[in-house]
Amino acid sequence: DSKIVLAVLAPPGAEQKPAAPVKNKLSEQDEVIATKYRKMLKMGIPLDGVRHKMTQDGVDMKIVSVIVSEADPSAKFEDESVAKAAPKKSAPKEPLLSDEDETIASKYRNMLKVCIPKDAVRHKMTQEGVSDKIIDAVLGKENGPSKGAKTPAKSSSKTVRLHWETRNLAPEQFKKSIFAKTEKKKRKLQSINPEEDDIRKLEEIFQKKNSIASKTKNIKAEVDSSMAKLLDLTRANNIAISLKAFNDFTFRSLAETINDLDPDTKIVGERVHFIPNLLPTPKEIAAVKKYKGDDDKLITAELFFRQLISIKRIEDKVQVMRTMSTFEEQAEEVRAGFKTMQQVCAQVMNSEKLIQILELILNVGNLMNEGTLDGGVEAFRFDSLPKLSQTKSADGKTTVLDYIIKMVIEKGERDTLFLTDEFPDMQESCRLSINDLKSDLNTLRNDYKLCKAELSSLKRDQSSKKKSASSLPKKAKDQGEAGPDPRKALFAAIKSRGSQADAKPKAPPDPRQALFAAIKSKKDNTNAQEESIESNITYTPGVGKLQSFVDHSKSVLSFTEQDQDAAVRACKGLAIYCGEEGGEGSVSTLLQVLSDFAASLENGVKKYDERIERERRAKKKQQDKMPRKNKEKENEPNAPPKSTRQMLKASSLQPHVGLMKNSPRRDAKNEL
């Protein structure tokens, strides 16, 4: 007994403490159940998560208490019934949150409910920029790690994990399985177990990748700890990768190129589309401006952003660069689309074959609907054309479209069925939409307006710098340079009017007119001086490039608008011609229906030709079988000779034909 052992072996004078209560032992069946959750603890799953899982699975409290005590001896486990009866301690008051903060906090409370560790939730909230108030409300104030808390157990193996599915077998099932035989000592074959050399080779072959670079990671961590960390790491890495496409630029030269709208056209192709992804957000700009440290603590993306923050209207300038690079190509595509729509509408309206086909369909439909409200009509909607191939005959083998195709071919009008010959651009027009083309044109207009506004802004910025260097003189030396003084003109007019008060002038001069004339003269002189100064300003090459683009794109935009007007008129005319409502917006659907109908006509002709070919072959095969039957009858063993059959056939028709003159039967008759 443990009491006796302690009493005998304890040193003299030692106080005998009461024996600790013996823990409940688990049965074999309980041990099998507990094995599953012990493995979860070994894999590093937190104790609270394992305990929640056992409670969810309905595990006996005896097993739960044993596993909890094994994992954390200092932890006190209480049954749920005892826990409910025990008085609850007053929890510390959480900070009050607004409705908006509660919405944010609910996301992370749900993460805690699914047993995600608090440290992981805290890291996620910090990474997403959640305020400390919400973090304290969800997780409580961080007072450092608790004494009884344990860090998740890490794998001590030096190899990669083998991801297999384990099985927890009941004792009876385990005894019957092959795995029970591995524990038996008496076997015919000797057990094979890995030795020390085998284990070393296993670790060399299947070693973990992160263990190889652990030293370099530690060095990087020490270096990173001293960095400024102004940007998110993922965002900074993406920007650094995109900047590799601009290796021929320094950060300063790239920023100057963007500021002056790429005057030498070095940024072309895909690089133009990379630049918008390289621009900093307002939050990032504020972070970079706030930083006052050295450049040595900045990473690649932060160094690049530091060069961009001084550029005015950087988003507009990047958009202007893209517009100058792609405007001509996009305008050509839009113009080609408008011209295609215009041509297709003209082709449909000038088609004679379409008129013949629609007339035949109208007549057939009126015959089929005779005596109903749908009979005797003068027109039908074009979206009814697909129903020709859906309406079938009584035997279900022939459609109305098959009947029409057969009728046209039998009447010798086979070429009428090939509508695609008169609609060569129909297939391409089905991919276009007049509304989409109009939207693309509006995009071009907006881009042009942006370029025009940026041109004015650039000229204003550069001219203001020139004017500040050489401002206008406040007062000219003589009156000819400064212009007439409006006050002197006003006083002279009043004096002249007063001196001539007694006389009766025909039209006394108005002092206000003299004042307005003097002000206008002075304003004209000022504008002339400003224009002379602006004419002397030398703008940067980027401004000259943008000025040329604006002048050229204005004419291109004018031609595109003319093509749009012509296409819209053609589409409206086609809608009226086909009796459709909706104006030019309905033409896209109309052209798609006509394209499908033309394709179904060609498929129907092909189907008709295949059927005729099958019938011809069947008829020929039947004709080939007839001579074979006659030859088989001739080759029969009991069949009479061919000459005899002919004589018998002839004698049956004409008895005197085929009888010989000196036959024995005739001689006997003569003798009688």
Side-chain angles (χ1 to χ4, degrees):
D1 192 355
S2 59
K3 291 183 178 180
I4 300 172
V5 174
L6 290 172
V8 173
L9 300 179
E15 296 181 357
Q16 293 184 357
K17 297 180 180 180
V22 181
K23 295 182 180 179
N24 295 328
K25 295 184 179 180
L26 299 179
S27 62
E28 294 182 359
Q29 189 173 1
D30 293 341
E31 283 290 343
V32 173
I33 298 172
T35 303
K36 171 183 176 182
Y37 303 102
R38 290 193 181 102
K39 289 183 178 179
M40 294 173 66
L41 291 171
K42 291 180 180 179
M43 293 168 61
I45 299 176
L47 179 59
D48 294 337
V50 177
R51 183 176 176 180
H52 176 74
K53 180 64 176 177
M54 289 190 291
T55 306
Q56 190 177 14
D57 295 344
V59 180
D60 188 4
M61 287 298 170
K62 179 182 177 181
I63 303 174
V64 177
S65 62
V66 171
I67 292 177
V68 172
S69 60
E70 290 176 357
D72 190 2
S74 62
K76 294 182 179 180
F77 176 77
E78 296 181 353
D79 196 353
E80 289 185 355
S81 60
V82 178
K84 290 180 180 178
K88 295 183 179 179
K89 296 181 179 179
S90 59
K93 294 184 178 180
E94 297 179 353
L96 297 177
L97 300 179
S98 61
D99 295 339
E100 184 178 357
D101 293 340
E102 281 292 342
T103 304
I104 299 173
S106 61
K107 170 185 174 182
Y108 305 101
R109 290 196 178 103
N110 293 331
M111 295 173 67
L112 293 174
K113 289 180 181 179
V114 296
C115 299
I116 296 177
K118 286 186 176 181
D119 293 337
V121 178
R122 186 182 298 276
H123 176 72
K124 181 69 175 176
M125 298 175 75
T126 305
Q127 188 178 16
E128 294 183 355
V130 181
S131 63
D132 295 338
K133 180 181 177 182
I134 302 176
I135 295 176
D136 295 341
V138 175
L139 302 175
K141 293 186 178 180
E142 189 176 9
N143 297 323
S146 60
K147 296 181 180 179
K150 286 188 176 182
T151 57
K154 296 183 179 179
S155 176
S156 60
S157 176
K158 297 180 181 180
T159 63
V160 296
R161 288 183 58 190
L162 177 63
H163 298 279
W164 59 11
E165 294 183 6
T166 59
R167 294 290 303 275
N168 294 323
L169 300 176
E172 297 179 356
Q173 294 179 344
F174 181 76
K175 291 178 182 179
K176 296 178 182 179
S177 67
I178 189 174
F179 299 100
K181 298 179 181 180
T182 60
E183 297 183 354
K184 293 183 178 179
K185 297 181 179 179
K186 296 181 180 180
R187 290 181 301 193
K188 295 181 180 180
L189 298 178
Q190 186 178 0
S191 61
I192 302 173
N193 293 319
E195 298 179 358
E196 186 177 354
D197 294 338
D198 300 326
I199 295 174
R200 187 174 64 255
K201 290 180 181 179
L202 181 68
E203 292 177 350
E204 290 178 358
I205 296 173
F206 297 99
Q207 62 181 336
K208 295 179 180 179
K209 294 181 179 180
N210 55 2
S211 63
I212 299 173
S214 59
K215 294 182 179 180
T216 57
K217 284 187 177 180
N218 293 333
I219 296 172
K220 289 182 179 180
E222 293 177 0
V223 175
D224 293 340
S225 61
S226 62
M227 303 303 287
K229 297 181 181 179
L230 303 178
L231 305 178
D232 179 66
L233 183 59
T234 304
R235 163 81 167 156
N237 289 336
N238 293 335
I239 293 172
I241 293 171
S242 300
L243 283 173
K244 291 181 179 180
F246 302 91
N247 287 332
D248 52 335
F249 291 92
T250 63
F251 293 160
R252 184 60 184 171
S253 62
L254 182 57
E256 291 176 352
T257 302
I258 295 174
N259 188 31
D260 202 18
L261 303 177
D262 190 17
D264 298 329
T265 318
K266 293 181 179 180
I267 304 175
V268 294
E270 295 182 354
R271 300 208 295 183
V272 178
H273 302 283
F274 287 163
I275 295 181
N277 299 327
L278 300 176
L279 300 182
T281 61
K283 185 177 180 181
E284 293 169 344
I285 292 175
V288 174
K289 286 183 176 180
K290 188 177 179 181
Y291 177 73
K292 303 299 182 182
D294 298 332
D295 291 348
D296 297 338
K297 296 184 179 181
L298 299 179
I299 57 178
T300 303
E302 295 167 351
L303 290 171
F304 177 63
F305 282 176
R306 205 165 193 182
Q307 300 295 332
L308 296 181
I309 57 176
S310 61
I311 300 177
K312 296 181 180 179
R313 306 179 305 277
I314 185 170
E315 293 86 359
D316 293 342
K317 290 183 178 180
V318 170
Q319 181 61 31
V320 168
M321 291 172 59
R322 291 184 62 181
T323 301
M324 289 193 293
S325 178
T326 60
F327 186 86
E328 189 75 24
E329 182 180 357
Q330 292 178 356
E332 289 296 330
E333 291 180 0
V334 174
R335 291 190 65 186
F338 283 133
K339 290 179 181 178
T340 300
M341 296 294 291
Q342 186 179 358
Q343 292 171 0
V344 171
C345 293
Q347 291 168 3
V348 173
M349 296 176 67
N350 296 329
S351 175
E352 295 291 337
K353 294 181 181 179
L354 182 62
I355 296 175
Q356 292 178 331
I357 294 294
L358 295 179
E359 184 180 4
L360 178 59
I361 293 172
L362 184 63
N363 294 333
V364 171
N366 284 329
L367 289 174
M368 296 178 69
N369 296 330
E370 188 176 1
T372 64
L373 296 176
D374 295 332
V377 298
E378 296 179 352
F380 61 89
R381 292 179 59 88
F382 274 70
D383 55 7
S384 303
L385 292 175
K387 297 181 181 179
L388 297 175
S389 57
Q390 299 172 3
T391 306
K392 296 184 178 181
S393 59
D395 57 359
K397 296 181 180 180
T398 306
T399 63
V400 178
L401 187 64
D402 295 336
Y403 171 78
I404 292 173
I405 291 172
K406 180 181 178 182
M407 184 192 307
V408 173
I409 293 176
E410 290 178 352
K411 292 182 178 297
E413 299 292 339
R414 182 187 180 92
D415 294 339
T416 307
L417 300 172
F418 294 94
L419 293 177
T420 53
D421 296 341
E422 296 189 353
F423 308 150
D425 299 326
M426 178 69 73
Q427 196 68 26
E428 183 179 358
S429 66
C430 292
R431 296 190 294 267
L432 301 175
S433 172
I434 190 68
N435 293 329
D436 293 341
L437 292 173
K438 291 166 68 176
S439 177
D440 294 340
L441 180 57
N442 288 332
T443 303
L444 292 176
R445 287 197 191 101
N446 294 333
D447 292 341
Y448 169 76
K449 292 179 181 178
L450 178 63
C451 293
K452 194 174 179 181
E454 182 61 26
L455 178 62
S456 301
S457 299
L458 286 174
K459 286 184 176 180
R460 183 170 57 253
D461 294 342
Q462 296 182 13
S463 62
S464 62
K465 293 180 181 179
K466 298 290 184 180
K467 288 180 181 178
S468 61
S470 57
S471 58
L472 290 172
K474 295 182 179 180
K475 187 175 182 180
K477 293 182 179 180
D478 51 2
Q479 187 177 358
E481 294 178 358
D485 189 358
R487 292 175 297 177
K488 292 182 179 180
L490 176 62
F491 295 152
I494 294 173
K495 184 177 180 181
S496 174
R497 187 176 184 180
S499 61
Q500 297 178 0
D502 298 333
K504 295 182 179 179
K506 297 182 179 179
D510 189 358
R512 293 175 298 177
Q513 292 180 358
L515 176 63
F516 295 151
I519 293 173
K520 184 178 179 182
S521 176
K522 186 174 182 179
K523 185 177 180 180
D524 293 340
N525 293 334
T526 304
N527 292 336
Q529 291 177 359
E530 291 180 355
E531 289 177 359
S532 63
I533 293 174
E534 290 181 359
S535 61
N536 296 328
I537 295 175
T538 303
Y539 296 108
T540 59
V543 176
K545 178 183 176 181
L546 182 57
Q547 181 66 61
S548 301
F549 170 77
V550 169
D551 296 340
H552 175 68
S553 59
K554 182 178 180 180
S555 60
V556 173
L557 196 61
S558 177
F559 291 139
T560 308
E561 291 174 347
Q562 294 176 8
D563 294 335
Q564 178 197 13
D565 297 339
V568 169
R569 287 195 301 269
C571 291
K572 288 182 178 180
L574 179 62
I576 296 172
Y577 179 76
C578 296
E580 297 292 328
E581 299 176 355
E584 69 273 13
S586 63
V587 170
S588 299
T589 305
L590 179 62
L591 293 177
Q592 185 64 51
V593 171
L594 285 175
S595 178
D596 296 340
F597 178 65
S600 62
L601 285 177
E602 293 186 2
N603 293 332
V605 173
K606 185 178 179 180
K607 180 180 176 182
Y608 173 82
D609 294 339
E610 291 176 353
R611 182 174 60 83
I612 295 299
E613 182 66 19
R614 287 196 302 269
E615 293 177 356
R616 186 186 66 79
R617 290 180 180 179
K619 186 176 181 180
K620 183 179 180 182
K621 188 176 181 180
Q622 188 176 5
Q623 290 177 356
D624 293 341
K625 289 182 179 180
M626 295 299 294
R628 290 180 182 177
K629 292 182 179 180
N630 295 334
K631 290 180 180 180
E632 290 175 358
K633 289 182 179 180
E634 291 178 0
N635 295 330
E636 291 179 0
N638 298 327
K642 184 176 180 180
S643 60
T644 307
R645 291 201 303 270
Q646 290 177 354
M647 290 177 63
L648 291 175
K649 185 176 181 181
S651 61
S652 63
L653 296 175
Q654 299 177 358
H656 62 280
V657 178
L659 297 177
M660 300 177 62
K661 293 181 179 180
N662 298 326
S663 62
R665 188 175 180 181
R666 186 173 183 180
D667 294 342
K669 187 177 180 180
N670 292 334
E671 291 177 357
L672 293 173

